[in-house]
Every structure is written in structure tokens, then in C-alpha cells.
Amino acid sequence: MSVPYLINSDKGYVPASQRIPSVVKHLVSDRAKKALDLVERFVEEECIPADAVFTQQIREAGDAHSSNIVGRFESHPSVIEDLKKRAQELGLWNMFLPKNHFKEEGAGFSNLEYGLMAEYLGRSITASEAVNCAAPDTGNMEVFAKYGTQEQKAQWLKPLMDGKIRSAFLMTEPQVSSSDATNIEMRMHKEGNEWVLNGQKWWSSGAGDKRCKIYIVMAKSDPNNSSKYKQQSVILVPADTPGVTVHRMLGVMGYDDAPHGHGHIYFNNVRVPDSNMILGAGRGFEVVQGRLGPGRIHHAMRSIGSAEKAMDWYLARLNDPARTPFGKQLAEHAIQLERVARSRVEIDSARLAVLNAANTIDEGDAKSALKEIAEVKVEVPGVLMNVLDRAMQAYGGAGVSQDTPLAQMWASGRTMRIVDGPDEVHMIQLGRNESKRGGALLKRIEAQKEKTRELMKQYGLKNEDPLAINRVSGKSKL
Ligand SMILES: Cc1cc2nc3c(=O)[nH]c(=O)nc-3n(C[C@H](O)[C@H](O)[C@H](O)COP(=O)(O)OP(=O)(O)OC[C@H]3O[C@@H](n4cnc5c(N)ncnc54)[C@H](O)[C@@H]3O)c2cc1C
């Protein structure tokens, strides 16, 4: 494929495919390597320059409307449609659906291969949508592809895969701790062939976009079921169903993320047919678990890309000849170099952990990779925060202003410690599972000590383990 790119000013440029970490290189097909190089160049040369156009088009739509907020959310920047066309010409579309589970629907890449690509997508605010790999649509498309009926697929998956509509996933509620989904209160009850929904949801990402046509909603259909994991169902609610009201849009540390946004939505006697049920009544937990596994690592992959972008900006500032505090360039101040080195170590280690999680999913499924997914879900946002903080610091006042992308990246990156379940939930699960090995380890360590005692005797040595005391008699066991 010939690539009519003009920009390649960086003489030391080494394509992404040649920078794949060596431990996973053998797992990446030649086709994926070619696509990876294309993704990198598409992002660097077309999406990143278009990011400012996207932001400006939204701002102008707000300014032109009598209500700035409505104007921003009603806008649909034309630059994004141009980028989508360009991505399709390049064959970069829907790369996120992994080939081992979605032979028909996907673009034929593994999670690991997509992970390498998603890193580049994470460097731009337009790139993920441009290649139709943006959250929450990616997770929602997986739900349709995995659990949808033929009718649901035709009605919703097809236009989503074609990039014609967008979608939202509605689980979190303002009045309960939603990180524990058994708390979800929204009720749905059956009347004839219809389900009737009442309640409220918030942090419904994507609901601000006028192209968002379908909500995937979790609600309580059987509150008295003896299993608290069988009380919920997941059902499809078209955004224009009577009784649905987008009450307001939420901000993330002052950013509205328009036109996508995060909605607070009321449901008042919202009626949908039984055929809108996903998988079956009472199986909501299965659907949610199936959706969140891969989605969590997509966020982690993009966060590595954000961290690399922060690093680019950091290095550019350190080497800017116009910046010479206390008589020398920033790059000559040792404290900055130590921070650069620390950032490099953290990013490279985190990337390996992400790729390992992706490959573990490829070898089994998201369930068999619970530990690896939890590790990166917790670790990567921390690394991103560290690197962004160092980069922002190096820019001084500019670092926290709108003149660099760093402040907005920080606001968005910080949410990763909360979205798809807060850090603590993953840490507890990880800690609990690790701790389960403790009993067996205690026995092994005791057996090793016993063996040491035997060896000591055999070699005629005195065993000097001061802790080898009989608890009852207080005498040495030796
Ligand atoms: C930008 C953004 C986008 C989002 N997009 C969506 C979306 O599209 N759809 C959707 O449904 N939701 C979405 N969410 C919501 C998100 O998933 C929830 O905010 C998250 O799961 C936490 O739930 P909660 O807000 O109800 O907080 P709670 O469940 O009340 O948790 C609050 C805090 O309590 C602490 N905590 C919780 N559990 C434990 C524990 N076991 N041990 C110790 N401490 C604990 C943690 O510090 C946690 O942050 C989004 C959130 C943000 C910020």
C-alpha cells in the first residue's frame, strides 16, 4: 500500500513496527506490523494536527448558539468525518474486535496487536473515533457481537460498526455506590410483552452526542431473587424512547468532553419490548462482566500512548534552547534527567504489563486474565499521572494552562483511577487472590527450614535460626 505522506521531518524516525518490545515481536503478524506503522503515521501526521481543529469547531458551535452548552453538544465537527473517511481509505477500521472471538465481525487482529495500535490512538483526542475504536462504543459493540440476537445485531451493531451512530452504557447511579453493581437500584418490571424502566443513571458517557442512538442499560428486574447476582438485567433502550430525559451533562474537572460528554439521565415509565433484552432476564452480571474485561485494557493501552505523548512534550521542553533557567537548558539540570529516566522505566514496564494482559486474553479469555487485567487497570493510570506531572512541572505555568495538551490529558487520565471500577476494588481482588497462596507458602517455607536443619546436621554445622523456638516450652527446636 503506498502512503502519500509528506511529513517525515524526524531524521531518526524508526517505524513503530521496529520498536515493538522484543518479548512480543514474534506474536505480531506481518499484516499487523504494516497496520501498526500506518496507525502511527495516521495519528502523528493527520489526527494530532486535527485535534486543535476538532476543539475549535466545537468551541465555535458553542459560540454561535444562544446556549453555549447546547451548541457544544449539538455540534458534530466535520473534521472527524473527514478523518473517518481517510482511516477507511487506509484500511484502519474496527481493529479492536479480537480475531479469536470475532472471526466475522472484526478486522482480524489479536488483542496484543490491537494493544500496540491503541497506544498510538491514545496520543490524540480524535484518533480513536476516526478509526471507529472509541469507548464506550468498542465495549458496546462487543456486547452486541457476543450476546446480541440477529435482529439486535442488524439494528444496532451494523450502524455502530459502520461508524454511523454512537452508543452509551448506563450502569452507574448517583444515589448508590455503583462500583458494587449489586447496589444498582433502577427498577424494571414486565407488563405484557414490555419492560417498564424507572430511575436515574449518571456518568453515561457518550450520551451528549446527538448521534448517540442506543443505550445499553443495567436495571433490577428481580429484586427478590435469592442470588444478588441474578437480580439485574441488561436491556436496550433507544435514546429517543418516550420517558428518557437527559437531565444535565457532567463536567470532568471543568472539561465537558463535548460533544460526547457524560450524561445524567432520568427514566420515567420508559417502555421497551421484551425483544430488547440482552442474553436473558437476570443475566445482567454476565453481560457486564463480559463487557468490562477487554474495555479495561483498551483504556490501559491508550493511557500508555498518553504517557508517551506527555514524554514527547517533556523532552521537547527540556531541549528548548529558549528555556534556560539559572543559565542552562532544562536538559542540563540533573534533576530533570533523573525524572526523564524514571518516566522511561515506568512507561516501558507498564507497556510490558499491558501487552502481557492482552496476550493472556488472547490465549484464553478475559476471565482467565483477571489478575493481569487488574494489574494494568491499577498500574497504568498511576504511571500516566506521574509522567504527566513531571511534564507539566517542566512547563511551569504553561503546563497547567490550555496552551499545552497536558492539563486536559491530566483531567482525563485521572478519571482512569475511577472508571470501570475504582482502584480499590481491583486491589482488593488482587490482594485477596494473592493472599490465598499464603497457607501453601507457609508450609513450603517450614519444609525448607526443616530441610535446612537436616543439611546443617549432615554438614556438622550449628543451626543458628534464633526464631526456631518451641512456642509452648520456649526451648530451641534445634
Ligand atoms: C469520566 C467518567 C466516565 C464514566 N463513564 C461511565 C459510563 O459510561 N457508564 C457508567 O455506567 N459509568 C461510568 N462512569 C462511572 C464509574 O464507573 C463509577 O464512577 C465508578 O464505578 C465508581 O462508582 P461510584 O461513582 O458510584 O463510586 P462508589 O462506588 O461510591 O465509590 C467511591 C469510592 O469509594 C471507594 N471504594 C469503593 N469500593 C471500595 C472498596 N471495596 N474498598 C475500599 N474503598 C472502596 C473508592 O475510593 C471509590 O472511588 C464514569 C465515570 C467517570 C469519572
Side-chain angles (χ1 to χ4, degrees), residues 21-82:
S22 68
V23 285
V24 297
K25 218 173 224 168
H26 65 288
L27 298 167
V28 184
S29 69
D30 287 342
R31 180 171 164 265
K33 283 182 187 153
K34 271 190 198 149
L36 177 63
D37 287 341
L38 269 180
V39 170
E40 182 192 23
R41 299 186 76 174
F42 177 59
V43 171
E44 289 292 323
E45 301 183 19
E46 304 201 33
C47 297
I48 292 177
D51 282 353
V53 178
F54 177 81
T55 308
Q56 181 75 6
Q57 284 188 321
I58 296 166
R59 189 178 305 134
E60 288 188 2
D63 291 347
H65 200 282
S66 54
S67 155
N68 183 281
I69 296 171
V70 175
R72 287 175 64 79
F73 281 102
E74 284 197 344
S75 66
H76 178 49
S78 58
V79 70
I80 199 79
E81 288 305 320
D82 291 337

Side-chain angles (χ1 to χ4, degrees), residues 169 171-172 176-179 203 205 418-422 424-425 428:
F169 183 74
M171 190 170 92
T172 307
V176 294
S177 274
S178 305
S179 54
W203 289 109
S205 296
I418 297 170
V419 295
D420 292 349
E424 292 87 341
V425 174
I428 284 172

